[in-house]
Amino acid sequence: SFLMQGYAAADPRVRPLVFVIKKWAKMEGLNDARVGLLSSYALLLLVINFLQVRTPPVLPCLHEIHKSKMQLISDGADLEKLKLLDAVHVFKAPPSQNTDSTGQLLYEFFEYYSKFPFDQCAISVKQGRSVDKNSKADEMLLPGGQWIVVEEPLSESNVSYTVHHRSAFLRIRSDFMMALESLDRNPSLGSLGFTIDQNTS
């Protein structure tokens, strides 16, 4: 989406980190909403929110620094007119003061979500943080879709409602933890199952 383009353009570490995590998820069989796991969009939002909550942040909350533009979109402004402008300029973000390498951020991503309290908190890119899950219950939790709550930044729906079985949630959590353990033993993409060709493709 237009908003996601703005986030991707905000820092040069975003695209490679998203690429690696999506590739990893695909290899692990996690990137498949059709079978009750995570969609590509849910993974993207997980990465963006993780980058928002680093100290200092890698990514800002664009809803916060561009309130007037976001309000126009929420009020039904003509997106086609906005798209005539470059997303980089429409949603321009200040440079990050975070100096972590992409490799460090990859490790921290798995560390963060291995310990994340999914039973208590929801992921909110719109607010740039995690939020109380119970406060979103009436708006977002579709029947059976309570295991992981990832808020869509514009519609505020739960894009991870596809994770509607406890076994699927436990598998996702387990794979995050195993990836972290693999990187602890060997801090390289090879430990996550990547080959040289995959690293550079």
Side-chain angles (χ1 to χ4, degrees):
S1 74
F2 200 52
L3 180 62
M4 294 303 103
Q5 291 176 35
Y7 276 115
D11 190 278
R13 293 165 288 185
V14 176
R15 292 184 191 276
L17 187 63
V18 169
F19 171 81
V20 169
I21 290 169
K22 283 188 175 182
K23 190 80 170 181
W24 166 81
K26 186 175 181 179
M27 290 189 296
E28 293 296 321
L30 295 182
N31 186 12
D32 195 344
R34 297 170 301 173
V35 297
L37 296 168
L38 292 169
S39 67
S40 291
Y41 189 39
L43 283 165
L44 173 61
L45 294 176
L46 285 173
V47 176
I48 290 174
N49 192 237
F50 157 75
L51 294 174
Q52 289 175 320
V53 300
R54 297 297 84 207
T55 305
V58 175
L59 290 177
C61 176
L62 292 180
H63 276 78
E64 183 64 29
I65 64 176
H66 292 293
K67 288 182 179 179
S68 58
K69 292 187 179 77
M70 296 311 306
Q71 189 60 50
L72 285 173
I73 293 173
S74 297
D75 291 345
D78 189 344
L79 279 178
E80 293 307 312
K81 290 181 180 178
L82 283 175
K83 288 176 182 177
L84 292 175
L85 301 173
D86 190 330
V88 177
H89 299 295
V90 173
F91 295 116
K92 190 172 183 180
S96 172
Q97 300 303 306
N98 186 299
T99 59
D100 286 351
S101 68
T102 305
Q104 288 175 299
L105 292 171
L106 178 65
Y107 179 90
E108 291 167 5
F109 172 86
F110 289 119
E111 182 179 46
Y112 181 70
Y113 285 116
S114 291
K115 302 174 182 178
F116 189 83
F118 285 105
D119 59 328
Q120 302 172 26
C121 297
I123 301 295
S124 178
V125 167
K126 181 177 181 177
Q127 297 187 48
R129 59 187 178 88
S130 60
V131 298
D132 179 17
K133 192 174 180 179
N134 291 328
S135 70
K136 291 289 181 181
D138 293 337
E139 309 166 34
M140 299 172 62
L141 299 187
L142 304 183
Q146 75 276 21
W147 295 103
I148 298 178
V149 178
V150 180
E151 178 189 56
E152 206 289 323
L154 298 179
S155 70
E156 299 187 13
S157 60
N158 178 18
V159 301
S160 60
Y161 72 92
T162 52
V163 185
H164 49 73
H165 289 297
R166 182 173 181 269
S167 59
F169 165 71
L170 292 177
R171 178 185 167 187
I172 293 166
R173 170 63 66 87
S174 176
D175 280 357
F176 282 147
M177 294 174 69
M178 287 190 293
L180 180 63
E181 291 170 3
S182 295
L183 290 171
D184 268 328
R185 291 192 299 268
N186 178 17
S188 72
L189 289 180
S191 68
L192 298 180
F194 283 78
T195 65
I196 293 176
D197 288 343
Q198 288 173 320
N199 294 348
T200 56
S201 63

